[in-house]
Amino acid sequence: MTSLYPQSYLDYLVQFHVERDYFECHEILEEYWKSAPPHERKPVWVGLIQIAVGLYHQRRGNLSGAIKMLTSALALVNEHQSDIRQLGLDSTALNTLLVQRLEEMKQGKAYHSLSLPVADSALQQACLNKNSAKDNVSNMEDVYLLNKHTLRDRSDVYAERNRQLQIRQERRKSQPD
Protein backbone atom coordinates (compact mmCIF):
# COMPACT_ATOMS: atom_id res chain seq x y z
CA MET A 1 0.00 0.00 0.00
CA THR A 2 2.78 2.49 0.83
CA SER A 3 4.43 1.92 -2.57
CA LEU A 4 1.64 4.15 -3.89
CA TYR A 5 3.41 7.12 -2.35
CA PRO A 6 6.65 8.80 -3.43
CA GLN A 7 9.65 8.00 -1.22
CA SER A 8 10.18 11.72 -0.58
CA TYR A 9 6.68 11.95 0.86
CA LEU A 10 7.33 8.97 3.14
CA ASP A 11 10.59 10.62 4.25
CA TYR A 12 8.68 13.87 4.87
CA LEU A 13 6.18 12.05 7.09
CA VAL A 14 8.95 10.41 9.11
CA GLN A 15 10.67 13.75 9.65
CA PHE A 16 7.34 15.38 10.47
CA HIS A 17 6.05 12.82 12.99
CA VAL A 18 9.15 11.10 14.37
CA GLU A 19 12.05 13.53 14.19
CA ARG A 20 9.91 16.69 14.24
CA ASP A 21 12.50 18.22 11.92
CA TYR A 22 10.23 20.61 10.06
CA PHE A 23 13.15 22.25 8.28
CA GLU A 24 14.16 18.88 6.84
CA CYS A 25 10.52 18.29 5.83
CA HIS A 26 10.71 21.48 3.81
CA GLU A 27 14.01 20.47 2.20
CA ILE A 28 12.80 16.99 1.28
CA LEU A 29 9.51 18.00 -0.32
CA GLU A 30 10.85 21.12 -1.99
CA GLU A 31 13.52 19.06 -3.75
CA TYR A 32 10.87 16.52 -4.79
CA TRP A 33 8.47 19.23 -5.98
CA LYS A 34 11.19 21.00 -7.97
CA SER A 35 12.27 17.72 -9.61
CA ALA A 36 9.07 17.76 -11.66
CA PRO A 37 8.87 19.88 -14.81
CA PRO A 38 7.32 23.28 -13.91
CA HIS A 39 4.03 22.54 -15.70
CA GLU A 40 3.64 19.27 -13.74
CA ARG A 41 4.34 20.60 -10.24
CA LYS A 42 1.45 19.91 -7.90
CA PRO A 43 0.39 22.64 -5.46
CA VAL A 44 -0.44 20.02 -2.81
CA TRP A 45 3.30 19.62 -2.20
CA VAL A 46 3.61 23.36 -1.59
CA GLY A 47 0.81 23.13 0.97
CA LEU A 48 2.60 20.35 2.86
CA ILE A 49 5.87 22.28 2.69
CA GLN A 50 4.11 25.35 4.08
CA ILE A 51 2.67 23.37 6.99
CA ALA A 52 6.19 22.28 7.97
CA VAL A 53 7.61 25.78 7.52
CA GLY A 54 4.74 27.28 9.52
CA LEU A 55 5.38 24.91 12.42
CA TYR A 56 9.12 25.60 12.21
CA HIS A 57 8.40 29.32 12.54
CA GLN A 58 5.91 28.82 15.35
CA ARG A 59 8.30 26.63 17.32
CA ARG A 60 10.96 29.37 17.01
CA GLY A 61 8.52 32.06 18.16
CA ASN A 62 8.07 33.74 14.77
CA LEU A 63 4.28 33.93 14.96
CA SER A 64 3.79 36.31 12.04
CA GLY A 65 5.76 33.97 9.75
CA ALA A 66 3.92 30.96 11.12
CA ILE A 67 0.50 32.53 10.63
CA LYS A 68 1.38 33.57 7.08
CA MET A 69 2.60 30.08 6.14
CA LEU A 70 -0.25 28.18 7.77
CA THR A 71 -2.86 30.52 6.27
CA SER A 72 -1.42 29.87 2.83
CA ALA A 73 -1.21 26.13 3.53
CA LEU A 74 -4.83 26.08 4.65
CA ALA A 75 -5.93 27.66 1.37
CA LEU A 76 -3.98 25.05 -0.63
CA VAL A 77 -5.31 22.18 1.51
CA ASN A 78 -8.87 23.38 0.92
CA GLU A 79 -8.29 23.87 -2.79
CA HIS A 80 -6.69 20.45 -3.28
CA GLN A 81 -8.66 18.18 -0.95
CA SER A 82 -8.72 15.27 -3.39
CA ASP A 83 -4.90 15.39 -3.70
CA ILE A 84 -4.64 15.44 0.10
CA ARG A 85 -6.85 12.34 0.29
CA GLN A 86 -4.77 10.61 -2.42
CA LEU A 87 -1.76 11.13 -0.16
CA GLY A 88 -3.48 9.11 2.57
CA LEU A 89 -4.45 12.10 4.71
CA ASP A 90 -7.85 13.05 6.06
CA SER A 91 -8.46 16.41 4.34
CA THR A 92 -11.34 17.44 6.65
CA ALA A 93 -9.34 16.69 9.79
CA LEU A 94 -6.30 18.50 8.35
CA ASN A 95 -8.42 21.55 7.65
CA THR A 96 -9.71 21.48 11.24
CA LEU A 97 -6.20 21.10 12.66
CA LEU A 98 -4.87 24.04 10.68
CA VAL A 99 -7.81 26.27 11.62
CA GLN A 100 -7.32 25.32 15.29
CA ARG A 101 -3.58 25.96 15.13
CA LEU A 102 -4.07 29.37 13.53
CA GLU A 103 -6.59 30.29 16.22
CA GLU A 104 -4.22 29.13 18.97
CA MET A 105 -1.41 31.25 17.54
CA LYS A 106 -3.65 34.31 17.31
CA GLN A 107 -4.53 33.75 20.98
CA GLY A 108 -0.82 33.56 21.85
CA LYS A 109 -0.85 29.90 22.90
CA ALA A 110 2.54 28.18 23.00
CA TYR A 111 3.76 25.79 20.31
CA HIS A 112 3.00 22.09 20.70
CA SER A 113 3.65 19.28 18.24
CA LEU A 114 1.04 18.63 15.62
CA SER A 115 0.45 15.33 13.85
CA LEU A 116 -0.94 15.17 10.36
CA PRO A 117 -4.15 13.13 10.23
CA VAL A 118 -2.99 10.06 8.32
CA ALA A 119 -6.07 8.16 7.18
CA ASP A 120 -4.18 5.28 5.55
CA SER A 121 -3.19 2.99 8.45
CA ALA A 122 -0.58 1.15 6.36
CA LEU A 123 1.03 4.49 5.49
CA GLN A 124 1.09 5.57 9.10
CA GLN A 125 2.58 2.30 10.27
CA ALA A 126 5.23 2.27 7.54
CA CYS A 127 6.38 5.80 8.35
CA LEU A 128 6.41 5.44 12.09
CA ASN A 129 8.10 2.03 12.00
CA LYS A 130 11.13 3.48 10.21
CA ASN A 131 12.43 5.10 13.38
CA SER A 132 9.98 4.73 16.20
CA ALA A 133 6.85 2.99 17.28
CA LYS A 134 5.06 6.25 18.11
CA ASP A 135 4.74 9.92 17.33
CA ASN A 136 7.33 11.99 19.13
CA VAL A 137 7.06 15.51 20.42
CA SER A 138 9.46 18.29 19.53
CA ASN A 139 12.59 18.44 21.62
CA MET A 140 12.46 22.09 22.64
CA GLU A 141 15.99 21.80 24.08
CA ASP A 142 17.58 20.82 20.75
CA VAL A 143 19.12 24.10 19.58
CA TYR A 144 20.09 22.66 16.19
CA LEU A 145 16.57 21.38 15.52
CA LEU A 146 15.07 24.73 16.49
CA ASN A 147 17.52 26.85 14.48
CA LYS A 148 18.61 24.55 11.69
CA HIS A 149 18.28 27.17 8.95
CA THR A 150 21.01 29.27 10.59
CA LEU A 151 23.23 26.49 11.96
CA ARG A 152 23.45 23.98 9.11
CA ASP A 153 26.56 23.61 6.98
CA ARG A 154 26.03 25.62 3.81
CA SER A 155 29.60 25.42 2.45
CA ASP A 156 28.48 23.39 -0.58
CA VAL A 157 25.86 26.02 -1.46
CA TYR A 158 28.39 28.84 -1.11
CA ALA A 159 30.93 26.96 -3.21
CA GLU A 160 28.38 26.41 -5.98
CA ARG A 161 27.35 30.08 -5.91
CA ASN A 162 31.00 31.12 -6.25
CA ARG A 163 31.50 28.65 -9.10
CA GLN A 164 28.48 30.04 -10.96
CA LEU A 165 29.71 33.59 -10.36
CA GLN A 166 33.10 32.70 -11.84
CA ILE A 167 31.42 31.14 -14.87
CA ARG A 168 29.38 34.29 -15.45
CA GLN A 169 32.45 36.49 -15.04
CA GLU A 170 34.40 34.37 -17.54
CA ARG A 171 31.55 34.62 -20.04
CA ARG A 172 31.48 38.38 -19.70
CA LYS A 173 35.22 38.60 -20.24
CA SER A 174 35.02 36.46 -23.38
CA GLN A 175 32.17 38.42 -24.94
CA PRO A 176 33.17 41.20 -27.32
CA ASP A 177 32.19 44.73 -26.30
Side-chain angles (χ1 to χ4, degrees):
M1 170 81 76
T2 58
S3 63
L4 299 173
Y5 306 107
Q7 185 60 48
S8 294
Y9 176 56
L10 299 174
D11 295 341
Y12 168 93
L13 291 174
V14 169
Q15 291 298 324
F16 196 100
H17 292 112
V18 178
E19 301 298 327
R20 297 293 178 184
D21 190 338
Y22 302 128
F23 186 86
E24 194 61 29
C25 289
H26 157 267
E27 294 288 292
I28 290 167
L29 271 193
E30 184 178 60
E31 184 178 328
Y32 176 74
W33 176 71
K34 285 182 174 181
S35 71
H39 64 281
E40 293 179 20
R41 293 180 182 167
K42 293 184 177 183
V44 69
W45 300 121
V46 176
L48 292 173
I49 290 166
Q50 289 175 336
I51 292 170
V53 172
L55 293 174
Y56 182 78
H57 283 307
Q58 184 193 16
R59 188 169 59 190
R60 297 185 74 247
N62 176 2
L63 291 184
S64 63
I67 289 169
K68 181 179 176 183
M69 279 292 109
L70 290 183
T71 299
S72 181
L74 179 60
L76 286 169
V77 164
N78 285 331
E79 189 176 339
H80 301 280
Q81 289 183 30
S82 64
D83 289 334
I84 292 290
R85 287 190 296 274
Q86 286 177 0
L87 291 173
L89 300 177
D90 180 330
S91 62
T92 303
L94 182 56
N95 176 292
T96 301
L97 282 173
L98 294 176
V99 168
Q100 283 177 327
R101 182 54 59 106
L102 283 164
E103 194 56 40
E104 289 174 5
M105 287 190 291
K106 291 173 184 172
Q107 294 172 4
K109 292 188 179 176
Y111 165 84
H112 56 92
S113 297
L114 179 141
S115 294
L116 298 175
V118 178
D120 179 347
S121 59
L123 173 64
Q124 184 173 32
Q125 205 55 38
C127 291
L128 296 179
N129 280 341
K130 283 190 173 188
N131 291 319
S132 173
K134 62 178 177 58
D135 265 356
N136 291 328
V137 296
S138 290
N139 179 355
M140 300 301 282
E141 306 297 318
D142 186 339
V143 174
Y144 185 71
L145 183 68
L146 299 178
N147 301 293
K148 194 170 187 177
H149 76 286
T150 60
L151 300 175
R152 69 184 198 255
D153 178 12
R154 304 268 296 156
S155 56
D156 59 332
V157 172
Y158 300 135
E160 179 60 20
R161 282 184 190 160
N162 285 334
R163 189 178 79 75
Q164 293 298 324
L165 177 61
Q166 288 174 348
I167 290 170
R168 287 192 301 276
Q169 288 172 344
E170 290 299 319
R171 280 188 196 140
R172 284 186 202 124
K173 285 180 188 176
S174 66
Q175 291 177 350
D177 288 332

